[in-house]
Amino acid sequence: MSNESNRTYIGLPTPVRHDITATKYFVQALDIFSRVFAIRPEDKVLILADPLLDPRVIDAVIGIAKSRGATARIYMEPSTQVAAIPGDVHALLKNATFVVSTWFCSILDPLAIEMRRKGQRWVKITYFRDYDLLHTPQARFPIEVIGEIVRATAARFPKGQNFDLRFTDERGSDFRIAFTPEMCVNQLATNRWRGKMLADEDGCYVHYLPTHGPNFWDHNSVKNDFSAVIPMSGVLYPQWAVGFSKPFEEKIAVRFSGDTVTSVDGESPDAVILREMLVGGRMIEGGGCGFNPKAPRHTVYPAGSNSPGALHFGIDLAKPSEYIRKVMPDWEEPPVHMDLITFDSTVTAGENLLVDKGFLCALRDDAVVAMASQYGDPIEILEAFVY
């Protein structure tokens, strides 16, 4: 055997021992968790749960409530795939001041929207179903930095003028959404687009783990008027979709007329499934963007990657998908929804660049770099993505 075959190459540092970092990392994540769940002494906390939610997550929320003198109640549905707030829950919901929910209908249900308009505070925990996630880099990523990233991205939207929000990529995607000044104001007025990561503002709706979205476009732009017609059209070539074990090998085109999918081009088995699933469906989230640099970039389950510049496009289907029911019977979303994923999109708002081939441009804005510098090396913090 040659000396060459016995040679050992060491070019990277040995990982730091877990026992040296575990405690400080966990306490950092716990501090962020405690601040996001900004429960007040007088709060009436309602947890809308499901049987597959880690009970330690429920206990953690109850623990914060008890430590602050608040009360907490739990209501459980058979799954997260609740399409509307059940009538049995209306009285409980109306009585609550702080809601923690796993349910799909949380963002869109009319009663939930009405209660938030009255000041009720919500935390959606789609991405915190396992208490052990508190031991991940994304859980301890500084929420102040995430807020600054979001605000810097919002600042890139043109103000006081009409513009097209445009999504393109090297595969041939070209999808446009027409914004008016009023739509832009509405879209960016939400607490998430203002970079508010804590559930301490009356009427807020935040995600934990931070942050899923906010979306470049959704019906907040028209104050949740789902009958409003928003000019949009074009074609998307998604690289992946939730419920598929790996990215697509074929270049698959999803074509839209307005917000409705009119055709899916492709011959592969994945294309056949998407065609059956998507045609007739309507876009409800036009470019949900990730903003947490330590969220795993290529983890798209359950609702799209939360890594900066990775996008998901939410489609509400014309009918329930048998494919989804077969491969994801316990999915956190019902089988009438699908998220298409891209990692290399370029996004422009008018002449302004938001995302450049999958890289969120705000990561290099001066204010973002300055904020990140308070927590360490800004290059490592902002651009060392987790794959």
Side-chain angles (χ1 to χ4, degrees), residues 45-153:
V45 179
L46 175 63
I47 303 172
L48 302 178
D50 65 271
L52 297 182
L53 178 65
D54 184 346
R56 296 176 299 169
V57 170
I58 296 175
D59 285 345
V61 175
I62 292 175
I64 292 178
K66 289 178 69 67
S67 75
R68 297 175 185 173
T71 61
R73 305 183 70 176
I74 308 164
Y75 183 93
M76 183 176 290
E77 278 289 302
S79 80
T80 64
Q81 301 174 359
V82 186
I85 301 292
D88 291 345
V89 190
H90 282 203
L92 286 173
L93 186 62
K94 290 178 180 179
N95 187 55
T97 60
F98 192 101
V99 181
V100 180
S101 177
T102 69
W103 296 359
F104 174 75
C105 66
S106 299
I107 187 64
L108 297 177
D109 183 88
L111 178 58
I113 293 172
E114 177 189 347
M115 293 306 298
R116 286 194 290 272
R117 286 174 176 164
K118 293 180 178 179
Q120 193 176 71
R121 294 154 20 246
W122 281 63
V123 180
K124 182 69 167 20
I125 56 170
T126 299
Y127 286 89
F128 186 51
R129 299 184 54 80
D130 179 352
Y131 183 79
D132 290 334
L133 286 168
L134 284 171
H135 295 282
T136 63
Q138 58 180 319
R140 59 181 180 266
F141 189 85
I143 49 177
E144 289 80 9
V145 177
I146 295 177
E148 197 64 46
I149 295 169
V150 173
R151 285 190 292 272
T153 302

Side-chain angles (χ1 to χ4, degrees), residues 273-329:
I273 294 169
L274 287 175
R275 186 156 43 244
E276 168 64 22
M277 178 191 302
L278 295 177
V279 172
R282 299 180 63 193
M283 182 178 289
I284 64 165
E285 296 167 344
C289 188
F291 289 92
N292 189 328
K294 296 303 183 273
R297 191 161 183 85
H298 292 147
T299 297
V300 304
Y301 184 90
S305 172
N306 292 331
S307 176
L311 303 182
H312 66 273
F313 297 85
I315 311 295
D316 272 5
L317 311 181
K319 60 183 180 182
S321 165
E322 292 185 5
Y323 174 82
I324 295 176
R325 292 163 67 184
K326 290 175 183 177
V327 303
M328 298 189 294

